[in-house]
Amino acid sequence: MEQGYHIPVLLNESIDGLNIKPDGVYVDLTFGGGGHSREILSRLGEYGKLVVFDQDEDAYKNRPDDERLLFVRHNFQYLSHFLRYLNIDAVDGILGDLGVSSHHFDAAERGFSFRFEGKLDMRMGQGLKMTAADLVNTYELDDLKRIFWQYGEIKSSYKLASEIIKQRAGKPFETTTDLKVLAEKIGPKKEQSKFLAQVFQALRIEVNMEMDVLKSVLMQSTNAIKPGGRLSIISYHSLEDRLVKNFIRSGDCDKNQPDKDIFGQSDVPFKAVNRKIIIPNDEEIERNNRARSAKLRIAERV
């Protein structure tokens, strides 16, 4: 792995959770810096296989030279399609590290971070048409308010959306700094960094359709994973974690409890392996500050 590219979060816990079989077939939904993938490969034997997804060109360039690795240069929402294309009926486990890589946050030109001047982009894959700049310059008031409230949990979402519309009438938003300067005027002075992070997170989620993509791949995992196979998902904010928790509990991302038949029985495709969420210890957080919000849930296909 390129030094400093991305420190894998909850590495051993998430890979241990997959219960790797040496000759098994596994999927890493988000290759990123490749830390989790390399650990999976280290536990696979000669006949094991690892399918990795990543739509980002930088991630593809960083892939290891290993014939057991099959790299899919597309978003993981196409999981089922590419498993069929690769003649894989079902896999023994799926890993998802849903966070944006440190590399993306630190690359100013990608526009993910308010810490750097750069184009207001935020696309995880350059094939996506809409950038964050397109979004803030074209969305109507209600839509802007919705994404800031829903994806950023911003209490002043109406005020923020209104001010964006006022400012763009005179000069469209082009850079991260354009948005940062406006947001700083609205957010609380004592929690300015947190507020900016919420604003940028909300836009990133909308640009990349992260919630819809996550729902889609979770539902696909029911047919993609063999009975006894594992699902190991690391999330970084409450919206993601809620979807994962609901899916494991009920088989439906939008329901906290499963439907029951007339006999009171439920047919849930997964059972939780860890009853409590797994979080990084203090030592890992000290080593990698971006691990502080990580939550791991592991489930087994019934």
Side-chain angles (χ1 to χ4, degrees):
M1 180 171 58
E2 183 182 325
Q3 191 65 31
Y5 187 102
H6 180 70
I7 303 171
V9 174
L10 290 166
L11 178 62
N12 290 320
E13 295 89 340
S14 60
I15 307 304
D16 288 348
L18 288 174
N19 200 20
I20 301 284
K21 300 176 184 176
D23 60 348
V25 180
Y26 295 87
V27 174
D28 184 348
L29 296 173
T30 51
F31 179 76
H36 290 100
S37 285
R38 284 173 169 81
E39 182 62 27
I40 293 172
L41 288 169
S42 75
R43 302 188 190 194
L44 288 177
E46 180 183 357
Y47 300 107
K49 292 289 182 187
L50 175 63
V51 180
V52 301
F53 285 78
D54 208 300
Q55 58 194 327
D56 187 70
E57 182 64 26
D58 290 338
Y60 180 71
K61 291 175 182 175
N62 193 42
R63 72 196 187 283
D65 182 15
D66 192 316
E67 61 182 15
R68 299 170 300 169
L69 184 139
L70 305 170
F71 200 108
V72 179
R73 296 173 70 177
H74 288 274
N75 189 288
F76 59 73
Q77 66 181 309
Y78 303 112
L79 172 68
S80 298
H81 171 83
F82 279 100
L83 290 182
R84 287 195 301 270
Y85 176 77
L86 294 167
N87 293 315
I88 297 172
D89 293 328
V91 301
D92 297 286
I94 294 176
L95 171 77
D97 177 5
L98 304 177
V100 179
S101 75
S102 304
H103 173 71
H104 282 160
F105 276 124
D106 293 338
E109 70 276 8
R110 301 301 295 272
F112 284 101
S113 175
F114 57 84
R115 293 183 294 122
F116 308 109
E117 168 84 39
K119 288 185 178 180
L120 195 56
D121 192 321
M122 298 195 196
R123 293 173 297 168
M124 289 186 187
Q126 298 305 296
L128 291 173
K129 293 181 180 179
M130 178 175 283
T131 67
D134 295 329
L135 191 157
V136 296
N137 287 322
T138 62
Y139 269 33
E140 300 291 342
L141 175 65
D142 286 347
D143 288 326
L144 283 173
K145 184 178 72 171
R146 171 185 59 80
I147 65 170
F148 288 130
W149 172 255
Q150 188 175 349
Y151 298 150
E153 299 176 295
I154 295 170
K155 294 177 181 177
S156 55
S157 58
Y158 177 80
K159 184 178 181 183
L160 177 60
S162 299
E163 290 301 317
I164 284 174
I165 287 175
K166 284 181 188 176
Q167 179 163 315
R168 78 189 191 193
K171 182 182 181 295
F173 290 84
E174 296 179 358
T175 69
T176 53
T177 303
D178 291 341
L179 181 62
K180 176 184 177 181
V181 169
L182 180 139
E184 283 177 338
K185 296 175 183 175
I186 296 167
K189 301 301 179 189
K190 292 182 179 179
E191 296 186 317
Q192 207 162 72
S193 291
K194 179 183 177 182
F195 183 78
L196 290 171
Q198 289 171 306
V199 171
F200 275 64
Q201 172 184 288
L203 292 175
R204 190 201 78 225
I205 290 173
E206 179 73 6
V207 166
N208 296 286
M209 302 175 289
E210 292 178 33
M211 295 299 102
D212 291 337
V213 169
L214 177 56
K215 282 184 180 182
S216 174
V217 81
L218 288 172
M219 297 306 291
Q220 290 176 61
S221 71
T222 298
N223 292 323
I225 298 178
K226 299 174 184 177
R230 294 283 184 90
L231 182 66
S232 182
I233 302 289
I234 304 168
S235 62
Y236 291 84
H237 55 78
S238 59
L239 297 170
E240 290 175 335
D241 182 57
R242 192 178 305 127
L243 292 183
V244 177
K245 179 179 70 173
N246 286 349
F247 176 73
I248 293 171
R249 282 185 177 179
S250 70
D252 187 324
C253 296
D254 297 316
K255 294 180 180 178
N256 187 255
Q257 296 297 328
D259 294 328
K260 295 184 179 181
D261 61 23
I262 58 173
F263 303 105
Q265 301 296 313
S266 59
D267 184 20
V268 179
F270 286 88
K271 65 177 181 181
V273 172
N274 56 317
R275 294 297 173 184
K276 293 184 178 180
I277 55 172
I278 298 169
I279 59 175
N281 58 32
D282 292 340
E283 182 182 336
E284 178 170 3
I285 292 171
E286 186 175 343
R287 188 172 68 248
N288 179 14
N289 187 49
R290 285 176 175 147
R292 66 190 184 280
S293 57
K295 296 180 176 68
L296 169 64
R297 293 185 187 271
I298 303 164
E300 184 172 296
R301 183 73 172 90
V302 177

